[in-house]
Amino acid sequence: MAMVGLTIDGNKVKVPEGTTILEAAKSANIRIPTLCYLPEVQAIGACRVCLVEIDGNRSLQASCVFPATEGLVVHTNSEKVQQARKFTVELLLSAHPQECLTCARNLKCELQRLAEEMGIREVRFPGAKPEPRIDESTTSIRRDSSKCILCRRCVTVCQEIQQVGALSAQERGFDTYIGPAFGDDLGETACALCGQCINVCPVGALTEKDYTQEVWKAIHDPDKIVVAQDAPAVRAALGEEFGLPPGTLVTGKMLEALRRLGFDIVFDTNFAADLTIIEEGNELLKRVKDGGTLPMITSCSPGWIKFIEHFYPQLLPHLSTCKSPHQMLGALTKTYYAQKAGVDPAKMVTVSIMPCTAKKFECNRPEMRDSGFQDVDYVLTTRELARMIKTAGIDFVNLPDGKYDDPLGEYTGAATIFGATGGVMEAALRTAYEVATGKKLENVDFAAVRGLEGVKEAAVAVDGLGEVRVALAHGLGNAKKLMDRLASGKANYHFIEVMACPGGCVAGGGQPMPVNNEVRRLRAQALYQEDKKLKYRKSHENPSITKIYQEFLKEPLGEKSHHLLHTKYTKRGKYKEH
Amino acid sequence: MEIWRSHVLVCAGAGCVSSGCREVRDALVQGIMEFGLQGEVKVIETGCIGSCDLGPIAVVYPEGVFYQKLKAEDARVITEEHLLKGRVVERLLYAEPATTKLIPTFKEIDFFKLQEKIVLRNCGLIDPMNIEEYISREGYESLAQALSRMTPQEVVDVVQRSGLRGRGGAGFPTGTKWRFTQQAQGSPKYVICNADEGDPGAFMDRSVLEGDPHSVIEAMAIAGYAIGSNQGYVYVRAEYPLAIERLSHAIEQARQYKFLGRNIFETAFDFDLEIRIGAGAFVCGEETALMTSIEGKRGEPRPRPPFPAVAGLWKKPTLLNNVETYASIPPIILKGPEWYSQFGTGGSRGTKVFALAGNINNAGLVEIPMGTSLGKLIYDVGGGIKGGKKFKAAQIGGPSGGCIPKEHLNISLDYESVKDVGAIMGSGGLIVMDENTCMVDLARFFMDFIQDESCGKCPPCRIGSKRMLEILQRITQGQGQPGDIDQLIELGERIRESALCGLGQTAPNPILSTLRFFRDEYEEHIKQKHCRAGVCQALFDAPCQNACPADNNAWGYITLISEGKFKEAIAVIKERNPFPATMGRICFHPCEVKCRREQVESPVAICALKRFAADYDLESNDPHIPEVAPKKSEKVAVVGAGPAGLSAAYFLGLKGYPITIFEALPVAGGMMTVGIPEYRLPRKVLQDEIDDILKLGVELKLNSPVTDVEALKTQGYRAVFVATGAHKGLKLGLAGERLKGVLDGVSFLRDVNLGKPVKVGERVAVIGGGNVAIDAARTALRLGAKEVQIFYRRLREDMPAADWEIAEAENEGVKIHYLVAPAQMWGGNGGVKRMECRRMVLSDFDKSGRKRPVPITGSEFEIDVDTVIAAIGQVPDTGSFKGNGFKFDSSGAFIVNPESLATRSPGVFAGGDSVRGPASAVEAIADGQKVAMSIDKLLGGDGSLPNAYRDRLKEMKVSYDEEAYAEERSRVPLPEAPLSDRYHNFKEVEMGYTTRFAVEEAKRCLHCYRQE
C-alpha cells in the first residue's frame, strides 16, 4: 500500500494512504481526544472534539475523518485547537443537566472525562437546555434525551450494524434529539432491545432499565426464596467492572458474591444450555427425519427473536421452539426444583444475571409463565450485578471461589461456550455427531464456527446423516443478510445460529463497557478456556441432565418438555400506525 | 409560422401569479376576443420580468410598453385603448419614484436599462412552457456545438477561461470544479443542480426554473458531456411548485426533442435528468447535505474532504452547481469565454443576479455586471429607498452574509470586495434597510432563522447558535448585560472555526458583521436600554416616546387630550419639556416619523397636539407648574440661555437648586429667539415659557458673557453647565466673500431677530440646503426682496431642511436651484453684483451615504445678485473657553462624556449645540435634562426626572369607540395663514387646532403602548 508522509506536531509520520489524521497521530503516540468517534462503529466528524489545525485550512478539521495526505502539517494542540475543543465541550455542558453525582454513568462518562481533561471549571455560555424526553416504554432500555449529546453512535449502531433503524435524529437545531421517528417511544418501534445502543452511549442518555431495587427488596424479604442463575458470558466480563482485564474468568468470585449478596440458591444457566442442546438437537433431528421446516434457527437470543418477529414474521416456522436456556431454567426452578426441595413456588423469586437487555423483555412475555408463575421474575445485566456488589461493599477481587447449587448447577464445556458467537452451533454439533453416529467425537473443537466474521458457514460430515450444512450470524445486520438469502430461497442449510449482538452474548447490551472487537475476542477466549478445562465438554454427558430426564422430564421433546421448555412466537409489525 | 401584429407578454413568475396575473391574462384574452383582435394580438405567459413589486405586469410588443400593477379591469382598457386604438394608457405606466416622471417603455426604465441579462436572457421574453421559443433564442445550440465540435476537455477549458465562479455563494471557480470532476476516478458520475434556494428573500433560481427551464437542462447536459456523466438530478425545494411544474414539463419536452435521453444529436452521448424534491430544510442547500438528501436520508452535511468531485452522490464523483451557474453556461459555450469575461472585474467575471428586497422602491430581480457599485444598484437600478427614508445598510448573502453600511455604498459588488467588508456574495439576496431597521433585531432575526435551520449534527452550530440567539434575545428585550458583546464575538469566532459545515461556519456572520459596523447600537441597547430604530418593543412604551430625544411621553398626553383632559396633558408634557408651546411649533417631531398610525394612512399630528395643550395651558391664566422640591443650598451656574441652558435650569429648579443663568446676548432663548423667524415662533409664546422657568427661582443675567468657568467655581457655584450654542457661521471660502451684501445665515437671522435694522437687496441668493437657508430665504422675502433664490449643490431629497419648510418656502415664491454651487462673486464698492455658479453632477457616495456633488466643467453661468446669504453651516464659538482643561473637537465643539455630559473639568458640564454642533431644540432640551440629572447626582440627589403619570396612563381606558377610530381616517389639517397675509410681515403662518379638532385628532392614536 502507498505510504504518505505528514508532520504532526513537528513529528514526521509515515502512514498508509487512507489513514485518518487521528489514526496517524495515534501511530505517533499523539492522543487526540474524541467523543463521537468510535472505532469499528463510526467516524463522522460530528462532535468537533477531535479538531486539529491543518496548515492552509481556514477552519479547524475533524481528525477522525480527515485523510492523511502527503505533506500535511498538522497541529493537534495549538492554542486555537485547545480553545475550540474546550469551547465545544463547554457548549455541550451548557446544554447538559450536569447531574453527574446521580447519573448511572457517573465516573464512567466520556463527557465527564473530557471536561476533566480539559480543565473546565465553569461553563461560560449558560442557557436553555433541551426539553427532557424520558422514555420508559420498554422493559429493557431507558432513554433520557436531556443527557444525550447527539454523538450519533447509537444511531449508527442501530441503523448500520444492527440495521433495525429504531433510532435517528429528529427535529432540527437546538430541538434535535435522538429517538424513534414521529416522536414515538421505543416500545412502539421494531426495536429488538438488544442494548447495543447502550454499550456505545458515551453518557447516561441510554441505560438499561434498572431492577436492582426490586431484587434487593426480594433479598431482604425473609419470606422469599431468591434464586439466582447466571449466563456464561457474565463470568467472562464481570471482572472488568472491578478493574480486572477483559477476558478474566471470575466464575468462582461471582458465585461467592451472589451468596454474600443474599441469594438463597445459585444455579447456572449453563445447566439449561446443556438441556437446550438436548432438546434442540432432538428437534433438529426430528425435523430432518420428518421433513419439517428447515433450516432450523436457534432461539436462545431474545433480541434476535424480537427482531425476526418484527422483520421476518414469515420465517418464524424456522425458529426452534426451544425457550432460551434461562427461561428453561426458570420454569424448572419453580417446578422441578420447588417440588424436589419442597418449597412453595409462589414464594420463589427467580433472578437471571444476563449479559443482555432483551432478556428483560423476554422474561415478561406472556408465554413465559409455564410454571404457573412468571418463570423468571427479574433479569439483571452484568452491570447491574456489579452495581449490587459495589453497594454491598464486597471486595470482589479478593473473594474466594464459591460453588453452584445442585441440581441445576452442573454444566459442560459445550454449555459455557454458548456465550460466544458459534458456541451454540459448536455445542449442538458435538452432541448431534455423537447422537446421530453413536461414535465418540475425538476433536470437539469446531474452529470453522468460531471467530468474529459476520456470517460464517460450515459443513460437517456426519455418518448416517450425510453432510450437515450450518450457517451462523452475529449482529442483526448480519442476521438480516442471512435471512434475506433464506427468504429468497438461497440458503440451503440445516441449522442456523443467530446471535443478536456482534460477537454473541459476551458483547451483549448488558455487558461492561467499553466493548470492542478486542474485548469480544478476549471474553470469548475465556469461555473457550473454561470449556477446555471442564471434565465434560458435550451436553449429553452432563450427569445432571441425564438425571432430570430420569426424574422429571422423561424424554426429549416429551410432554413435560413440550409444556415447560418450548414456546411459540408472535408476528409483529415494523411500524406503528400513524 | 403565424405572424402577429402585437404580442402581449404577461409576467407569470410566482410573484405575479400570487398578485393575480392569471386574472389579468384571462381578461386580456377576453378583451381581445371581444374586439375581434384574436388574429392580430397574441397573449403569452412568460417567466419573471424582474420588477416583482410592480406586478402584475404586461409588456406590449413591438413597442415595449410596460404596464404595471394591473387589475383585471385594466386589461379591457389596454385592449381597447392600446391594442385597438394605438394609444398608450398613461395611468398604467411606470412612474420613476424620485421624479414621478412617467416612463412608457420597458427599455427606458432605469431598472431595466442598467441591467445586463445573461442568466435571465430569456426570462420574461419567452413562454417557458414552449421549447420552440427557447430553441428560437439559440436554445440547445450550445449543446449541439459541444457535442459535435468540442471534446469534453475543450468544454471544460472554455468554462475555465470564462472566469465563471459558482453563483451559489462561495464563488468557487466553476471550470476548476468541472476539471476536478472530469479527472476524478470512479463511475458512474453524476451532475447535480442545486435549486434548493433557501435564503430569505432570494428567488433568482426559482425565476430561472420558472422562466427559462431549458437553459438549466441544456447546461446540465453539457456538463454531463464534459465530465463523463449520464445522469443528472435537479434538487428543487418543495416550496417551488411552479418551478417544478415547468421544469418537469421542460424535461419531458427535451426528451421528446431528443435533447435528453439516449444518443443525443446522434453522438452516442446519453444523458437524462430527474427532479428530486427537497422537503424544505435550509441546510439542504449545503452540497453534502443535499447529496445526503438525494440518497434518501435525513439531509445532514458530511465532512469534506472528500469533496463531491471525488466522492459525492453515493460516493461517486459528482459535479454540483446551482441554477444560476448552469444558466450562464450555454451563452459561454456559444459566444466564447472572452465574450463572457468582458463583463465584471478581475477576479469576478460575468454578471450576477440579485434579488432586491426590503425598503427599496424597485424590489425584484436584477442582473448586473459584477463590479457594479452597491450605490448604483440601490439608487439607479433599485430606484432608491422607499418613502424617501435614509439608507442604513444592505444585508447581502442572506442569513450567512453580512451587512454593508452607508459608508460603503461605493463598494464594487464582486466576490473579493464584498468579502473585504465582512459579508459574502452568497446567492445574491440583497435586503435593503432604511433608518427604521434595528441592526440588533436584524441580527436576532437571522440568528433565529439559522439556529432553527441548523441540522443539529455538530455542537458549535446546534448549541452555539442557540446561545448567540439567547444573548440577542436578551439584548433586544432590554435584559442585555455588560459582557454580552464580548460573548457574542467569542461565540461567533469559535463557531466560525469549529462548525462542521458552511451553514454553521457562516451562522455568526450577521452578528459579527452588524457588530463591526453598528456596535454603538448594541451598546445603546445594553447600556441605555434604548432602541433608536424603535423596533425592540420591550425597550419602550411607544415608538413616539422612544423617538423623542427628550423622552416626551407623547402617547400619554395624546390619550389625555382625546379624553378632554387638557390640564393633565400639559402636566405630562411638562415632566420632560419646559417649552411645550414653543416646541409645539418648531420641533422637527421625529416622533411622528415613527408613529404606528403611519401604517394606516398618516401619523398622528403629535407636535400640533402638544401645541394645542400648551396654548390651552398658557391661555388659561393659570399655567401648570410641576411640583417643586424644597429649596436646596447648592448653587448652580448655567452659561447660555438657549434651550439647553434653560431646560437644565428648569429641571434643576424643580429639584430646588438655586440657579443663575449667564447670557451673552441681550435676550434669552438662544437660537429659538435669534435663529428662528417670528413667523414660525411668535416671541410672546417663547417669552411666556421662559418667564415660567424664571419663576422657579432662576436668576437670569443678560449681556453677561462668561469666559472663565473656574472663576464661577470660586464664586461658590458647585456645578457649571456650559451651553453656548453654535452661532458661528461657516464661510464659503470663495473670492468676493468680503464684498458688502455677502452675509452669513446665522448672523443675518440673529440681527433680524434682535430687531437690528437689516436691509436686503432686491435679488437675494441663498446658498445652502438646511433650515437656516430656508429661514434666511423666507426672512429675506419678508424683508422686501423681490427675488429670492436658493442654490443647493445636491438634490432636494438630500436637503437637511425639513420637507414641509422647503415646501412652504417654494409656496411663498422662493426659487430653489438644485445641483448648483457658487464659484465666485464680483462687485464693487456698492457691494456684490454678480455671482458665478457651476452646475454639479452627483458621482459616488460620501460617508453620509449621499452622492458626492462634483462640478461639471464648462457649466459655469452668472447671475445678478445684490445680496448673498451663505447658510452652509455653523459651528460652536468656544474659543474663549480654551485653557480650562476642556477638550474640543476640530469644529470647536466640547468633548464630553456621552453618558453624563461632563467635561474634563470637574463639576463642569456642556451640552446642546456647543457639543453637538448645530442640532435641534429638542436635542438641546434632552441635553438639559441629562445635565440636570448629572448635576443632581453630583450634588447628592437621586438624578431622577419626574415620572408621576406613566403607570396610570398605561392602564387608562378611553371613552370613545377605539375600533371606529382605527379605521382609515385622515389627519386633521392645521389651519394656515393665507399667502396674501405673509408678505412684509412676520405674523405666525401656522395656526393651532381648535379644541374639537384637537380631540378628534388625538383619537387617531392607536394606543400601541398597550402591548398586549
Side-chain angles (χ1 to χ4, degrees), chain A residues 44 46 48 60 66 94 124-125 127-128 149 152 169 171-173, chain B residues 298 300 303 305 451 454 458 462 467 470 487 490 497-500:
Chain A
I44 56 171
R48 318 311 283 170
L60 300 171
F66 202 97
S94 79
R124 290 168 301 159
F125 311 102
I149 54 163
R152 315 288 181 101
E171 303 284 347
R172 281 201 296 241
Chain B
R298 175 181 161 103
E300 286 184 348
Q451 66 91 32
S454 162
C458 76
R462 178 180 77 240
R467 296 291 172 257
E470 286 169 340
Q487 281 227 331
E490 161 138 36
E497 68 196 18
S498 59
L500 170 64

mmCIF file of all heavy atoms in Angstrom, chain A residues 44 46 48 60 66 94 124-125 127-128 149 152 169 171-173, chain B residues 298 300 303 305 451 454 458 462 467 470 487 490 497-500:
data_model
loop_
_atom_site.group_PDB
_atom_site.id
_atom_site.type_symbol
_atom_site.label_atom_id
_atom_site.label_comp_id
_atom_site.label_asym_id
_atom_site.label_seq_id
_atom_site.Cartn_x
_atom_site.Cartn_y
_atom_site.Cartn_z
ATOM 1 N N ILE A 44 -17.649 10.233 11.932
ATOM 2 C CA ILE A 44 -18.492 11.147 11.140
ATOM 3 C C ILE A 44 -18.133 12.608 11.351
ATOM 4 O O ILE A 44 -18.743 13.488 10.765
ATOM 5 C CB ILE A 44 -19.998 10.952 11.451
ATOM 6 C CG1 ILE A 44 -20.277 11.115 12.942
ATOM 7 C CG2 ILE A 44 -20.472 9.604 10.945
ATOM 8 C CD1 ILE A 44 -21.761 11.161 13.287
ATOM 9 N N ALA A 46 -18.748 14.630 13.715
ATOM 10 C CA ALA A 46 -19.874 15.451 14.159
ATOM 11 C C ALA A 46 -19.582 16.263 15.421
ATOM 12 O O ALA A 46 -20.005 17.402 15.528
ATOM 13 C CB ALA A 46 -21.106 14.576 14.387
ATOM 14 N N ARG A 48 -16.882 17.547 16.880
ATOM 15 C CA ARG A 48 -15.889 18.628 16.819
ATOM 16 C C ARG A 48 -14.951 18.647 18.029
ATOM 17 O O ARG A 48 -14.380 19.678 18.358
ATOM 18 C CB ARG A 48 -16.557 20.007 16.665
ATOM 19 C CG ARG A 48 -17.726 20.076 15.696
ATOM 20 C CD ARG A 48 -17.469 19.486 14.374
ATOM 21 N NE ARG A 48 -16.654 20.293 13.467
ATOM 22 C CZ ARG A 48 -16.157 19.852 12.311
ATOM 23 N NH1 ARG A 48 -16.372 18.607 11.940
ATOM 24 N NH2 ARG A 48 -15.424 20.634 11.565
ATOM 25 N N LEU A 60 -10.968 24.701 11.413
ATOM 26 C CA LEU A 60 -10.374 23.523 12.030
ATOM 27 C C LEU A 60 -11.043 22.279 11.452
ATOM 28 O O LEU A 60 -12.189 22.322 11.018
ATOM 29 C CB LEU A 60 -10.561 23.607 13.544
ATOM 30 C CG LEU A 60 -9.901 24.834 14.186
ATOM 31 C CD1 LEU A 60 -10.316 24.950 15.649
ATOM 32 C CD2 LEU A 60 -8.388 24.768 14.049
ATOM 33 N N PHE A 66 -10.539 13.319 8.581
ATOM 34 C CA PHE A 66 -9.687 13.997 7.602
ATOM 35 C C PHE A 66 -8.570 13.053 7.162
ATOM 36 O O PHE A 66 -7.804 12.570 7.980
ATOM 37 C CB PHE A 66 -9.094 15.273 8.199
ATOM 38 C CG PHE A 66 -8.663 16.268 7.161
ATOM 39 C CD1 PHE A 66 -9.493 17.312 6.797
ATOM 40 C CD2 PHE A 66 -7.431 16.150 6.528
ATOM 41 C CE1 PHE A 66 -9.115 18.221 5.834
ATOM 42 C CE2 PHE A 66 -7.048 17.056 5.552
ATOM 43 C CZ PHE A 66 -7.894 18.109 5.200
ATOM 44 N N SER A 94 -23.208 23.109 28.661
ATOM 45 C CA SER A 94 -24.227 24.133 28.886
ATOM 46 C C SER A 94 -25.624 23.608 28.582
ATOM 47 O O SER A 94 -26.610 24.131 29.081
ATOM 48 C CB SER A 94 -23.934 25.376 28.035
ATOM 49 O OG SER A 94 -24.335 25.167 26.694
ATOM 50 N N ARG A 124 -19.113 29.012 30.462
ATOM 51 C CA ARG A 124 -19.261 30.453 30.251
ATOM 52 C C ARG A 124 -20.503 30.827 29.448
ATOM 53 O O ARG A 124 -20.837 31.992 29.324
ATOM 54 C CB ARG A 124 -18.029 30.998 29.521
ATOM 55 C CG ARG A 124 -16.776 31.010 30.379
ATOM 56 C CD ARG A 124 -15.567 31.279 29.520
ATOM 57 N NE ARG A 124 -15.445 30.254 28.480
ATOM 58 C CZ ARG A 124 -14.746 30.417 27.350
ATOM 59 N NH1 ARG A 124 -14.139 31.543 27.101
ATOM 60 N NH2 ARG A 124 -14.678 29.430 26.474
ATOM 61 N N PHE A 125 -21.139 29.839 28.849
ATOM 62 C CA PHE A 125 -22.267 30.166 27.975
ATOM 63 C C PHE A 125 -23.530 29.473 28.457
ATOM 64 O O PHE A 125 -24.025 28.543 27.821
ATOM 65 C CB PHE A 125 -21.951 29.752 26.534
ATOM 66 C CG PHE A 125 -20.607 30.234 26.069
ATOM 67 C CD1 PHE A 125 -19.527 29.375 26.016
ATOM 68 C CD2 PHE A 125 -20.432 31.558 25.701
ATOM 69 C CE1 PHE A 125 -18.285 29.822 25.601
ATOM 70 C CE2 PHE A 125 -19.197 32.018 25.282
ATOM 71 C CZ PHE A 125 -18.117 31.151 25.234
ATOM 72 N N GLY A 127 -27.447 28.728 29.317
ATOM 73 C CA GLY A 127 -28.653 28.983 28.522
ATOM 74 C C GLY A 127 -29.622 27.838 28.655
ATOM 75 O O GLY A 127 -29.474 26.990 29.534
ATOM 76 N N ALA A 128 -30.583 27.850 27.745
ATOM 77 C CA ALA A 128 -31.639 26.841 27.806
ATOM 78 C C ALA A 128 -31.058 25.446 27.628
ATOM 79 O O ALA A 128 -30.019 25.265 27.007
ATOM 80 C CB ALA A 128 -32.669 27.107 26.712
ATOM 81 N N ILE A 149 -25.880 13.806 24.017
ATOM 82 C CA ILE A 149 -25.045 14.830 23.397
ATOM 83 C C ILE A 149 -25.062 14.709 21.877
ATOM 84 O O ILE A 149 -24.258 15.315 21.188
ATOM 85 C CB ILE A 149 -23.612 14.751 23.919
ATOM 86 C CG1 ILE A 149 -23.080 13.331 23.718
ATOM 87 C CG2 ILE A 149 -23.550 15.143 25.394
ATOM 88 C CD1 ILE A 149 -21.584 13.263 23.827
ATOM 89 N N ARG A 152 -24.483 10.421 17.991
ATOM 90 C CA ARG A 152 -24.984 9.546 16.926
ATOM 91 C C ARG A 152 -24.440 8.121 16.944
ATOM 92 O O ARG A 152 -24.707 7.360 16.023
ATOM 93 C CB ARG A 152 -24.714 10.133 15.518
ATOM 94 C CG ARG A 152 -25.030 11.613 15.377
ATOM 95 C CD ARG A 152 -26.517 11.836 15.371
ATOM 96 N NE ARG A 152 -26.859 13.240 15.207
ATOM 97 C CZ ARG A 152 -27.257 13.780 14.057
ATOM 98 N NH1 ARG A 152 -27.350 13.051 12.991
ATOM 99 N NH2 ARG A 152 -27.589 15.052 13.998
ATOM 100 N N ALA A 169 -31.991 10.868 14.190
ATOM 101 C CA ALA A 169 -32.122 12.245 14.641
ATOM 102 C C ALA A 169 -33.510 12.753 14.275
ATOM 103 O O ALA A 169 -34.000 12.523 13.175
ATOM 104 C CB ALA A 169 -31.049 13.110 13.997
ATOM 105 N N GLU A 171 -36.294 16.245 14.584
ATOM 106 C CA GLU A 171 -36.353 17.708 14.711
ATOM 107 C C GLU A 171 -35.050 18.334 14.220
ATOM 108 O O GLU A 171 -34.195 17.653 13.676
ATOM 109 C CB GLU A 171 -36.646 18.132 16.160
ATOM 110 C CG GLU A 171 -37.933 17.562 16.731
ATOM 111 C CD GLU A 171 -39.185 18.248 16.206
ATOM 112 O OE1 GLU A 171 -39.070 19.314 15.593
ATOM 113 O OE2 GLU A 171 -40.286 17.706 16.400
ATOM 114 N N ARG A 172 -34.936 19.658 14.453
ATOM 115 C CA ARG A 172 -33.769 20.365 13.940
ATOM 116 C C ARG A 172 -33.231 21.327 14.985
ATOM 117 O O ARG A 172 -33.896 21.629 15.970
ATOM 118 C CB ARG A 172 -34.167 21.192 12.717
ATOM 119 C CG ARG A 172 -34.283 20.394 11.461
ATOM 120 C CD ARG A 172 -34.154 21.296 10.231
ATOM 121 N NE ARG A 172 -35.201 22.262 10.102
ATOM 122 C CZ ARG A 172 -36.039 22.331 9.077
ATOM 123 N NH1 ARG A 172 -35.951 21.486 8.121
ATOM 124 N NH2 ARG A 172 -36.951 23.276 9.021
ATOM 125 N N GLY A 173 -32.057 21.849 14.694
ATOM 126 C CA GLY A 173 -31.467 22.876 15.542
ATOM 127 C C GLY A 173 -31.334 22.403 16.977
ATOM 128 O O GLY A 173 -31.040 21.235 17.242
ATOM 129 N N ARG B 298 -31.829 11.653 5.939
ATOM 130 C CA ARG B 298 -32.032 12.967 6.541
ATOM 131 C C ARG B 298 -30.928 13.888 6.024
ATOM 132 O O ARG B 298 -29.742 13.541 6.079
ATOM 133 C CB ARG B 298 -31.920 12.819 8.066
ATOM 134 C CG ARG B 298 -31.977 14.105 8.843
ATOM 135 C CD ARG B 298 -31.829 13.786 10.337
ATOM 136 N NE ARG B 298 -31.434 14.939 11.105
ATOM 137 C CZ ARG B 298 -32.251 15.669 11.877
ATOM 138 N NH1 ARG B 298 -33.515 15.354 11.957
ATOM 139 N NH2 ARG B 298 -31.797 16.709 12.543
ATOM 140 N N GLU B 300 -28.291 15.911 6.132
ATOM 141 C CA GLU B 300 -27.282 16.460 7.046
ATOM 142 C C GLU B 300 -25.961 16.517 6.310
ATOM 143 O O GLU B 300 -25.656 15.632 5.521
ATOM 144 C CB GLU B 300 -27.130 15.562 8.268
ATOM 145 C CG GLU B 300 -28.288 15.676 9.238
ATOM 146 C CD GLU B 300 -28.068 14.847 10.486
ATOM 147 O OE1 GLU B 300 -27.139 14.025 10.492
ATOM 148 O OE2 GLU B 300 -28.837 15.019 11.442
ATOM 149 N N PRO B 303 -18.544 15.715 6.464
ATOM 150 C CA PRO B 303 -17.294 16.480 6.368
ATOM 151 C C PRO B 303 -16.678 16.389 4.975
ATOM 152 O O PRO B 303 -16.844 15.390 4.273
ATOM 153 C CB PRO B 303 -16.378 15.796 7.396
ATOM 154 C CG PRO B 303 -17.257 14.940 8.242
ATOM 155 C CD PRO B 303 -18.436 14.592 7.416
ATOM 156 N N PRO B 305 -12.753 17.135 3.221
ATOM 157 C CA PRO B 305 -12.826 16.103 2.200
ATOM 158 C C PRO B 305 -13.470 14.824 2.742
ATOM 159 O O PRO B 305 -13.515 14.680 3.946
ATOM 160 C CB PRO B 305 -11.341 15.874 1.877
ATOM 161 C CG PRO B 305 -10.593 16.310 3.094
ATOM 162 C CD PRO B 305 -11.397 17.417 3.678
ATOM 163 N N GLN B 451 -30.462 29.229 13.660
ATOM 164 C CA GLN B 451 -30.435 28.216 14.717
ATOM 165 C C GLN B 451 -31.617 27.265 14.561
ATOM 166 O O GLN B 451 -31.533 26.100 14.914
ATOM 167 C CB GLN B 451 -30.396 28.859 16.105
ATOM 168 C CG GLN B 451 -31.621 29.637 16.508
ATOM 169 C CD GLN B 451 -32.639 28.798 17.236
ATOM 170 O OE1 GLN B 451 -32.274 27.873 17.939
ATOM 171 N NE2 GLN B 451 -33.908 29.113 17.048
ATOM 172 N N SER B 454 -30.456 24.864 11.741
ATOM 173 C CA SER B 454 -29.274 24.033 11.996
ATOM 174 C C SER B 454 -29.715 22.574 11.986
ATOM 175 O O SER B 454 -30.770 22.241 12.508
ATOM 176 C CB SER B 454 -28.705 24.397 13.368
ATOM 177 O OG SER B 454 -27.857 23.366 13.831
ATOM 178 N N CYS B 458 -23.613 19.127 14.719
ATOM 179 C CA CYS B 458 -22.421 19.483 15.492
ATOM 180 C C CYS B 458 -22.755 20.510 16.577
ATOM 181 O O CYS B 458 -23.579 21.394 16.371
ATOM 182 C CB CYS B 458 -21.299 19.974 14.579
ATOM 183 S SG CYS B 458 -21.515 21.635 13.951
ATOM 184 N N ARG B 462 -25.351 23.742 16.668
ATOM 185 C CA ARG B 462 -26.601 23.417 17.360
ATOM 186 C C ARG B 462 -26.757 24.205 18.655
ATOM 187 O O ARG B 462 -27.801 24.797 18.911
ATOM 188 C CB ARG B 462 -26.632 21.909 17.654
ATOM 189 C CG ARG B 462 -27.862 21.447 18.410
ATOM 190 C CD ARG B 462 -27.830 19.947 18.665
ATOM 191 N NE ARG B 462 -26.941 19.579 19.757
ATOM 192 C CZ ARG B 462 -25.895 18.786 19.651
ATOM 193 N NH1 ARG B 462 -25.573 18.257 18.486
ATOM 194 N NH2 ARG B 462 -25.138 18.499 20.700
ATOM 195 N N ARG B 467 -27.070 29.777 21.770
ATOM 196 C CA ARG B 467 -26.560 30.674 22.803
ATOM 197 C C ARG B 467 -26.471 32.105 22.266
ATOM 198 O O ARG B 467 -26.784 33.068 22.972
ATOM 199 C CB ARG B 467 -25.173 30.207 23.274
ATOM 200 C CG ARG B 467 -25.199 28.845 23.957
ATOM 201 C CD ARG B 467 -25.918 28.892 25.313
ATOM 202 N NE ARG B 467 -26.102 27.554 25.856
ATOM 203 C CZ ARG B 467 -27.255 26.889 25.834
ATOM 204 N NH1 ARG B 467 -28.360 27.428 25.337
ATOM 205 N NH2 ARG B 467 -27.337 25.665 26.335
ATOM 206 N N GLU B 470 -29.887 33.477 22.220
ATOM 207 C CA GLU B 470 -30.364 33.819 23.563
ATOM 208 C C GLU B 470 -29.814 35.181 24.011
ATOM 209 O O GLU B 470 -30.538 35.983 24.598
ATOM 210 C CB GLU B 470 -29.947 32.724 24.561
ATOM 211 C CG GLU B 470 -30.764 31.458 24.409
ATOM 212 C CD GLU B 470 -30.216 30.274 25.188
ATOM 213 O OE1 GLU B 470 -29.014 30.286 25.547
ATOM 214 O OE2 GLU B 470 -30.966 29.327 25.428
ATOM 215 N N GLN B 487 -19.129 38.184 24.575
ATOM 216 C CA GLN B 487 -19.564 36.789 24.445
ATOM 217 C C GLN B 487 -20.009 36.494 23.022
ATOM 218 O O GLN B 487 -19.708 35.434 22.478
ATOM 219 C CB GLN B 487 -20.722 36.517 25.399
ATOM 220 C CG GLN B 487 -20.263 36.289 26.827
ATOM 221 C CD GLN B 487 -20.907 35.066 27.455
ATOM 222 O OE1 GLN B 487 -22.018 34.705 27.097
ATOM 223 N NE2 GLN B 487 -20.222 34.426 28.365
ATOM 224 N N GLU B 490 -16.914 36.097 20.920
ATOM 225 C CA GLU B 490 -16.216 34.825 21.152
ATOM 226 C C GLU B 490 -17.004 33.655 20.570
ATOM 227 O O GLU B 490 -16.464 32.811 19.864
ATOM 228 C CB GLU B 490 -15.960 34.611 22.654
ATOM 229 C CG GLU B 490 -15.679 33.137 22.964
ATOM 230 C CD GLU B 490 -14.566 32.870 23.940
ATOM 231 O OE1 GLU B 490 -14.430 33.666 24.873
ATOM 232 O OE2 GLU B 490 -13.842 31.862 23.761
ATOM 233 N N GLU B 497 -14.874 28.841 13.312
ATOM 234 C CA GLU B 497 -13.719 27.989 13.029
ATOM 235 C C GLU B 497 -13.972 26.531 13.359
ATOM 236 O O GLU B 497 -13.206 25.673 12.939
ATOM 237 C CB GLU B 497 -12.474 28.507 13.778
ATOM 238 C CG GLU B 497 -12.561 28.361 15.285
ATOM 239 C CD GLU B 497 -11.533 29.197 16.036
ATOM 240 O OE1 GLU B 497 -10.987 30.133 15.436
ATOM 241 O OE2 GLU B 497 -11.281 28.890 17.209
ATOM 242 N N SER B 498 -15.048 26.225 14.099
ATOM 243 C CA SER B 498 -15.171 24.830 14.508
ATOM 244 C C SER B 498 -16.422 24.107 14.010
ATOM 245 O O SER B 498 -16.512 22.892 14.178
ATOM 246 C CB SER B 498 -15.093 24.723 16.041
ATOM 247 O OG SER B 498 -16.108 25.466 16.642
ATOM 248 N N ALA B 499 -17.362 24.797 13.387
ATOM 249 C CA ALA B 499 -18.576 24.108 12.948
ATOM 250 C C ALA B 499 -18.266 23.173 11.776
ATOM 251 O O ALA B 499 -17.272 23.328 11.080
ATOM 252 C CB ALA B 499 -19.654 25.109 12.560
ATOM 253 N N LEU B 500 -19.151 22.194 11.602
ATOM 254 C CA LEU B 500 -18.906 21.146 10.608
ATOM 255 C C LEU B 500 -19.067 21.629 9.176
ATOM 256 O O LEU B 500 -18.280 21.279 8.309
ATOM 257 C CB LEU B 500 -19.876 19.976 10.882
ATOM 258 C CG LEU B 500 -19.980 18.871 9.836
ATOM 259 C CD1 LEU B 500 -18.674 18.124 9.673
ATOM 260 C CD2 LEU B 500 -21.066 17.870 10.235
#
